[in-house]
Amino acid sequence: MAFPYRSQRDINMSNTPLLELSGINKIYKMGQIDLQVLYDVSLHIYNGDFVSIVGPSGSGKTTLLNIIACLDRPTSGTYNFFGEDVGLKSNDEMSEIRNLRIGFIFQSFNLIPRHTALENVIMPLHYSSRFKNSSFKDLGLECLEKVGLSERVGHYPNELSGGQQQRVAIARALVTNPEIILADEPTGNLDSKTSDDIMELLKNLNKSGKTIITITHDNEVAEQASEIIKIKDGRVI
Amino acid sequence: MIPNYILSNINEARINLFRNKTRTLLTSLGIIIGITSVIILIAITNGARSVIETQLTSLGAKTIMLKPFVRTASGFSTGRGQNFNENELNLIKNLDSVDYLAPIVKASEEVNYRSTSNIIALVGTNPDFAGINDWKNISGSFITENDVKDATKVCVLGLTNSRRFFGAEDPIGKKIRINGIPHLVIGVLEPKGLTPGGRDQDDFILLPYTSLNRLLFRPDMSNIVTVLMSARSSEELEYAKFSIIKILRETRNINPGEDNFDISSYEGVTKKILGTTKILRILLTSIASISLIVGGIGIMNIMLVSVSERTKEIGIRITIGAKSRDIVFQFLCESALLSLIGGIVGVLLGFIISKIASTIIGWPAIVSLSSVFVAFFFSGGIGIFFGIYPAFKASKLDPIMAIRNE
């Protein structure tokens, strides 16, 4: 399979994985029945990777993404995040990881409707003591400029097109300068032209050094990635 | 300075509450009614208290009476303690807790004006007498310090004597004879009517005590057997009595139990009556508090609605890094602000209504600063207390489920 562009990993030649999942099982208890969603998943993601996780719906890819995102804990198995075992982290420490080291992009953008673009972008900064309040605005504007939305800072989400909303969401994902961007079907709600623009933006972010993990069932999107992880019935294939 | 973290949360709460003005107003209505009624009730009972206190003052509730101790044997007086001298009276007069001090000299002598003649009770005193029993002039003036100093031959008539000697005539500027010596009438006192026992409280003539002593050929201080004083307030009555006793024991060099003076007051009556208003206030305030609790439950209810409406938003916030305490704090700020808005409106409404009520019922409504502060703290506290459950509920949401909520 030919990758459309050279991964950042080839340039870095880094050998220690950023994220390391080994033997991950996830079982949901549904009353009396145990529903196993993930079976013995192991994977390594390196700094600078652009990974696509693909699979049909119900395959467990969202559960896997939630575990990678530190939103959920595996039933068994270990997950090392930057060399540290997430299983040993408290909920607050997991919140901090999500706040500072992971940027989130969703299919439905997930902006807060009564806040302006800029206010949405700087929201993660409120939840960390690392940033000074006086720097919030500059950081937010800087990120909006990166996604080409300098003109729209004062607009509310309902005044923006889908593509523009997704750009605001990307700016929000970038504002704490995380190493990893997690994108859950980032183009699922967009037309093909806008999808291409958003994918271009993600590729550029990858070039600038961000590790990008996306889940999708759109092959066109998946093929943009430097690595594709296929998942079916809870197993990596 | 308030940290920015709190400011941004308050701002967030403000945006949410103002987005839904009708709901905010309706929700805080319970608190508004509660705070309004607490403010009105406290204002009106305070007003009633001050009215009662003034009435008690005119009945002598703050009055302290000092007399030489009278030794008795088998019901007969066998002698009495020494009279009060000027030095002792000056020391007592200088106490902070004592407002007025009036020496009293009493006599009954023949008074005549033209053809009318009668034996009348004479009271020799000083200007403080008016303050102690709340005597006011209906015409003319009262005895002055200079009258006392110079033993001026002036007198002030109780209304009964004004009518007795002058009828409808204006007595001011006329001269009456007391034991044959002319005295200028300088004022007439407002009537106090009869005591419950049927004694006429207005049947007397006031003179400077020095003038009366001179009239009776007595030295100035020797005849002062009674001293009337008034405490600055009914609360300070006990303290004033304690201080007076201390001064007299020190100047007379006597031990407790050997007191050769007698001090008395009507504090029992005051305590009982003011105690009743206190019970009334506690009762009324606790009834009003019930509406505050109902208001608090209203706030809890609407905060629960607000949490479930914003499930998705909470999911987003937790996902991008909000900790449980961030979510708790956000919702507590909102419920506290909601309740405080009710508190502010309630204080304003309570203030306006109690002013209107006071003109209707005809006694003053006193909105005390302390009741306003209590109202603010109480409403803020209710908002926080009843916001705790919804806020914790919000913070415990599972972000994975919450973010999918539409």
Side-chain angles (χ1 to χ4, degrees):
Chain A
M1 180 191 264
F3 291 123
Y5 83 101
R6 215 155 62 99
S7 147
Q8 200 63 27
R9 176 167 141 200
D10 303 333
I11 302 160
N12 289 345
M13 297 299 289
S14 166
N15 285 322
T16 26
L18 225 51
L19 313 178
E20 187 179 8
L21 290 83
S22 45
I24 298 287
N25 289 291
K26 181 69 186 177
I27 300 165
Y28 287 112
K29 293 213 180 296
M30 315 281 278
Q32 299 291 319
I33 311 151
D34 284 356
L35 183 69
Q36 184 149 9
V37 186
L38 293 177
Y39 295 87
D40 195 31
V41 172
S42 297
L43 52 94
H44 294 173
I45 293 168
Y46 293 86
N47 189 20
D49 272 358
F50 190 143
V51 180
S52 266
I53 301 170
V54 292
S57 54
S59 60
K61 61 183 192 301
T62 303
T63 304
L64 180 60
L65 191 82
N66 286 336
I67 288 170
I68 293 173
C70 295
L71 278 166
D72 205 354
R73 294 173 189 270
T75 311
S76 65
T78 54
Y79 171 26
N80 284 321
F81 187 96
F82 285 75
E84 289 177 59
D85 188 353
V86 176
L88 304 174
K89 303 267 180 202
S90 69
N91 285 345
D92 277 0
E93 284 169 325
M94 282 171 73
S95 296
E96 204 171 300
I97 290 175
R98 293 198 300 274
N99 185 233
L100 294 174
R101 318 203 75 163
I102 303 174
F104 289 88
I105 301 168
F106 308 91
Q107 177 176 7
S108 53
F109 325 131
N110 285 345
L111 300 174
I112 293 174
R114 55 176 194 288
H115 284 300
T116 63
L118 180 63
E119 285 166 349
N120 267 289
V121 170
I122 65 175
M123 192 157 288
L125 300 176
H126 289 288
Y127 299 126
S128 170
S129 52
R130 186 174 293 183
F131 306 95
K132 285 199 184 102
N133 272 58
S134 52
S135 67
F136 283 10
K137 198 181 172 191
D138 288 342
L139 285 170
L141 290 174
E142 195 184 306
C143 291
L144 280 165
E145 198 185 323
K146 270 186 207 161
V147 298
L149 270 185
S150 295
E151 313 286 299
R152 295 281 188 273
V153 290
H155 286 62
Y156 288 90
N158 61 6
E159 300 166 344
L160 298 172
S161 70
Q164 286 169 331
Q165 288 188 53
Q166 194 59 298
R167 283 166 190 272
V168 174
I170 294 172
R172 180 178 65 189
L174 294 173
V175 76
T176 58
N177 196 23
E179 290 93 342
I180 299 163
I181 303 286
L182 288 184
D184 182 359
E185 302 274 11
T187 59
N189 281 0
L190 302 173
D191 60 55
S192 61
K193 167 74 180 67
T194 322
S195 295
D196 291 347
D197 291 346
I198 295 294
M199 287 316 292
E200 200 55 43
L201 196 53
L202 289 179
K203 274 192 274 182
N204 285 334
L205 289 174
N206 181 239
K207 273 183 201 156
S208 71
K210 305 280 182 208
T211 302
I212 299 190
I213 304 166
T214 167
I215 61 170
T216 183
H217 52 246
D218 182 344
N219 283 332
E220 239 178 90
V221 171
E223 277 163 16
Q224 315 265 333
S226 56
E227 192 179 329
I228 296 176
I229 296 165
K230 288 202 173 103
I231 187 161
K232 197 184 173 195
D233 296 332
R235 291 171 218 270
V236 175
I237 50 173
Chain B
M1 205 191 95
I2 306 168
N4 282 320
Y5 177 72
I6 296 175
L7 277 182
S8 64
N9 270 293
I10 291 172
N11 191 43
E12 179 74 39
R14 186 186 58 81
I15 291 171
N16 277 313
L17 294 177
F18 278 71
R19 196 168 52 111
N20 235 324
K21 290 192 192 73
T22 319
R23 187 162 94 181
T24 300
L25 193 71
L26 287 175
T27 308
S28 47
L29 205 56
I31 301 292
I32 293 176
I33 293 170
I35 293 290
T36 306
S37 28
V38 169
I39 293 280
I40 295 173
L41 289 171
I42 292 179
I44 286 178
T45 45
N46 273 348
R49 193 184 157 94
S50 85
V51 170
I52 291 168
E53 201 152 338
T54 341
Q55 284 167 354
L56 287 176
T57 306
S58 69
L59 290 172
K62 293 192 294 189
T63 308
I64 302 166
M65 194 191 280
L66 194 56
K67 283 178 170 173
F69 181 70
V70 179
R71 276 189 296 275
T72 51
S74 317
F76 293 98
S77 168
T78 58
R80 57 184 179 86
Q82 72 190 91
N83 286 339
F84 304 100
N85 63 40
E86 204 161 355
N87 174 41
E88 288 169 342
L89 297 191
N90 281 336
L91 284 171
I92 294 171
K93 171 85 181 156
N94 285 337
L95 285 171
D96 275 343
S97 50
V98 173
D99 252 359
Y100 299 109
L101 181 147
I104 305 291
V105 179
K106 281 184 175 170
S108 286
E109 299 295 336
E110 189 185 339
V111 177
N112 57 19
Y113 178 72
R114 294 188 184 150
S115 57
T116 322
S117 173
N118 221 326
I119 304 287
I120 303 292
L122 303 177
V123 178
T125 186
N126 70 0
D128 279 8
F129 186 79
I132 293 171
N133 283 330
D134 202 27
W135 284 103
K136 291 186 182 72
N137 277 66
I138 49 170
S139 63
S141 57
F142 202 73
I143 298 165
T144 64
E145 289 292 349
N146 280 333
D147 291 331
V148 175
K149 205 173 81 202
D150 303 337
T152 327
K153 294 188 186 65
V154 293
C155 63
V156 177
L157 305 182
L159 192 67
T160 306
N161 285 310
S162 170
R163 295 217 175 106
R164 176 177 288 144
F165 292 107
F166 295 95
E169 209 181 323
D170 182 13
I172 310 291
K174 307 273 162 44
K175 285 188 173 172
I176 56 170
R177 287 174 185 277
I178 303 174
N179 271 2
I181 297 165
H183 281 72
L184 180 69
V185 177
I186 56 168
V188 177
L189 295 173
E190 203 176 70
K192 288 207 173 179
L194 302 179
T195 63
R199 189 174 62 80
D200 182 0
Q201 295 183 86
D202 304 312
D203 187 4
F204 68 106
I205 295 177
L206 279 182
L207 287 80
Y209 72 95
T210 47
S211 316
L212 184 57
N213 277 337
R214 202 160 292 183
L215 187 75
L216 302 170
F217 306 105
R218 288 164 175 164
D220 266 359
M221 299 303 292
S222 70
N223 203 33
I224 300 176
V225 291
T226 307
V227 181
L228 285 181
M229 284 152 292
S230 98
R232 194 162 55 180
S233 66
S234 44
E235 282 85 5
E236 279 176 285
L237 186 77
E238 279 306 305
Y239 179 70
K241 278 170 77 179
F242 170 79
S243 308
I244 293 164
I245 293 169
K246 195 161 162 264
I247 285 175
L248 289 174
R249 281 180 186 160
E250 272 167 19
T251 55
R252 295 177 172 194
N253 200 15
I254 50 177
N255 295 319
E258 298 173 2
D259 292 345
N260 52 7
F261 53 86
D262 190 29
I263 190 162
S264 59
S265 62
Y266 301 111
E267 84 269 33
V269 183
T270 323
K271 267 187 195 152
K272 262 183 205 143
I273 293 174
L274 292 183
T276 314
T277 65
K278 199 177 196 173
I279 290 167
L280 192 70
R281 177 159 67 176
I282 291 169
L283 187 76
L284 292 174
T285 312
S286 37
I287 292 169
S289 309
I290 293 172
S291 115
L292 282 179
I293 289 166
V294 174
I297 293 168
I299 284 183
M300 174 150 76
N301 190 17
I302 215 71
M303 288 309 295
L304 285 172
V305 171
S306 183
V307 167
S308 75
E309 273 178 356
R310 278 189 275 162
T311 302
K312 188 184 172 78
E313 175 196 322
I314 296 162
I316 296 169
R317 287 176 184 271
I318 296 176
T319 303
I320 63 173
K323 300 180 179 72
S324 293
R325 60 169 179 272
D326 294 319
I327 302 293
V328 169
F329 194 74
Q330 184 194 334
F331 280 92
L332 281 187
C333 273
E334 197 168 317
S335 60
L337 189 67
L338 182 59
S339 185
L340 268 179
I341 291 172
I344 292 167
V345 176
V347 166
L348 290 176
L349 268 183
F351 187 80
I352 294 166
I353 295 175
S354 35
K355 288 299 162 198
I356 295 171
S358 107
T359 59
I360 294 171
I361 58 177
W363 80 57
I366 301 165
V367 179
S368 62
L369 201 61
S370 64
S371 70
V372 171
F373 276 122
V374 168
F376 276 125
F377 276 108
F378 216 77
S379 58
I382 280 182
I384 291 170
F385 181 78
F386 286 98
I388 288 174
Y389 174 64
F392 270 89
K393 208 177 166 197
S395 76
K396 293 286 172 278
L397 284 175
D398 174 7
I400 298 166
M401 302 304 289
I403 209 163
R404 282 194 215 130
N405 192 290
E406 287 300 333

